Amino acid sequence: MITLTHFLVVSACIFCIGLYAVLAKRNAIMILVGIELMINAAILNFVAFGKYDKLNYGGQVFALFAIVLAAAAVAVGLALILNVYRHFKTINPEHIHELKD
Amino acid sequence: MIESFLFYAFAGVAILSALLLVHIRNTARALFLLFVVLFAMAGLYLFALADFIAITQILIYVGGVLILLIFAFMLSNKELLADLQSTSGRFISLPNWQALVLVIAFLSLMVYSYLSWSQQMPQWIAQSEAKGKMILPTDNNIKVLGFKFMTQYVLPFEIISVFLMMTLIGAAHLSRKESNK
């Protein structure tokens, strides 16, 4: 029998792997991938709790919204990364510390 | 029995390929490993009886987001590719260790709190479990989701449509060529 705790522990692992990618990677595309992993862990929590909510279906509905938000975030984030690369000639976030032109 | 075996198989595939994803140096391989992670996560959604979410995950993430990532990665110029592959560095560098300590602390905190939380779940979960109001495998999820989107959640639905249009315009505006300025 698969309980709620199984889902929660798996999503905690995925979330922490995404957090590691965000913190340790020195490459903006991999940081974006880490953010995607964290959003996926959140969606897993949404659907796992939504299983117990037959009246409102809140978990599944907001899981769909979260998927759409993640897709939008990737589209804008990639456009930003390509612009930053054109401007600074690097996508290592540690080298991008100037706001002025 | 076979259900829990499949669950553990999907969870293991997801976690192991995610670990490999953050460990591997080659960004192209890491992006293709993200395929595997997202498919395994879609499999996990099926165990929470969210079939429509799983299909949407495969359609939007694997069909849209990942293709976008790989396109942006492969269509950009060669310097970006060379820059990408040399960024990972040694394993025993300072940011890696800081991140590792922070992540392990966070993971242990989360797992501990989940395990102690599962001893005393909230009232509504126990109630819906007792009354049999959970989502069942025989339910028609897609039909109910369609009704919910058009009645109860119509305001978030409209907001997210406007948001998506803003994102489309913004991404197209950001990624245009600036040469004619």
Side-chain angles (χ1 to χ4, degrees), chain A:
Chain A
M1 186 58 198
I2 299 158
T3 58
L4 190 53
T5 317
H6 287 79
F7 286 107
L8 294 182
V9 170
V10 170
S11 87
C13 293
I14 298 286
F15 183 89
C16 286
I17 293 168
L19 189 64
Y20 177 79
V22 171
L23 289 175
K25 289 287 178 180
R26 284 173 289 163
N27 174 341
I29 290 184
M30 289 310 289
I31 289 177
L32 211 55
V33 168
I35 293 173
E36 291 305 304
L37 284 181
M38 289 161 82
I39 292 176
N40 253 294
I43 295 170
L44 184 60
N45 268 6
F46 266 132
V47 294
F49 277 99
K51 189 181 175 185
Y52 297 95
D53 182 19
K54 194 173 184 175
L55 196 62
N56 289 319
Y57 267 71
Q60 300 201 3
V61 168
F62 280 92
L64 278 175
F65 287 152
I67 288 177
V68 172
L69 285 179
V74 162
V76 175
L78 273 179
L80 281 177
I81 288 171
L82 289 182
N83 260 11
V84 161
Y85 177 73
R86 214 180 292 154
H87 211 274
F88 290 92
K89 296 297 168 205
T90 177
I91 56 169
N92 188 346
E94 287 170 25
H95 295 160
I96 303 167
H97 43 65
E98 293 177 343
L99 283 178
K100 66 178 196 296
D101 287 339

Side-chain angles (χ1 to χ4, degrees), chain B:
Chain B
M1 184 58 208
I2 188 144
E3 189 190 0
S4 41
F5 172 73
L6 277 176
F7 178 86
Y8 287 125
F10 274 122
V13 166
I15 291 172
L16 286 181
S17 50
L19 279 175
L20 193 57
L21 189 156
V22 295
H23 178 67
I24 210 163
R25 288 190 182 188
N26 190 336
T27 307
R29 283 179 198 274
L31 286 180
F32 281 107
L33 270 172
L34 189 62
F35 262 113
V36 183
V37 180
L38 293 177
F39 265 113
M41 292 298 279
L44 286 180
Y45 299 162
L46 286 181
F47 286 93
L49 301 179
D51 44 0
F52 186 65
I53 314 292
I55 295 298
T56 313
Q57 160 106 350
I58 291 174
L59 279 181
I60 291 187
Y61 263 107
V62 181
V65 169
L66 214 49
I67 299 297
L68 190 65
L69 277 171
I70 292 172
F71 260 33
F73 176 68
M74 297 209 167
L75 290 184
S76 47
N77 41 11
K78 270 184 186 165
E79 296 157 37
L80 179 60
L81 286 175
D83 194 23
L84 282 172
Q85 290 190 345
S86 63
T87 43
S88 187
R90 293 170 302 143
F91 180 67
I92 315 178
S93 58
L94 192 57
N96 282 359
W97 278 106
Q98 288 170 337
L100 206 61
V101 169
L102 199 61
V103 162
I104 287 176
F106 201 68
L107 179 67
S108 52
L109 183 69
M110 275 169 90
V111 170
Y112 171 73
S113 59
Y114 283 155
L115 289 182
S116 56
W117 176 84
S118 65
Q119 305 298 323
Q120 37 176 352
M121 288 199 183
Q123 203 73 41
W124 59 277
I125 289 180
Q127 269 182 358
S128 75
E129 222 165 347
K131 287 182 186 170
K133 278 190 177 176
M134 300 162 58
I135 296 175
L136 298 173
T138 51
D139 285 343
N140 194 349
N141 271 331
I142 298 174
K143 192 179 168 189
V144 180
L145 272 179
F147 278 128
K148 290 289 178 192
F149 267 121
M150 280 297 126
T151 55
Q152 189 176 356
Y153 295 107
V154 69
L155 180 64
F157 187 75
E158 293 298 328
I159 289 174
I160 211 117
S161 350
V162 174
F163 174 79
L164 258 185
M165 197 183 68
M166 282 163 52
T167 315
L168 263 177
I169 296 172
H173 175 78
L174 279 175
S175 58
R176 78 196 194 285
K177 298 268 186 219
E178 302 232 10
S179 55
N180 54 354
K181 197 159 68 174

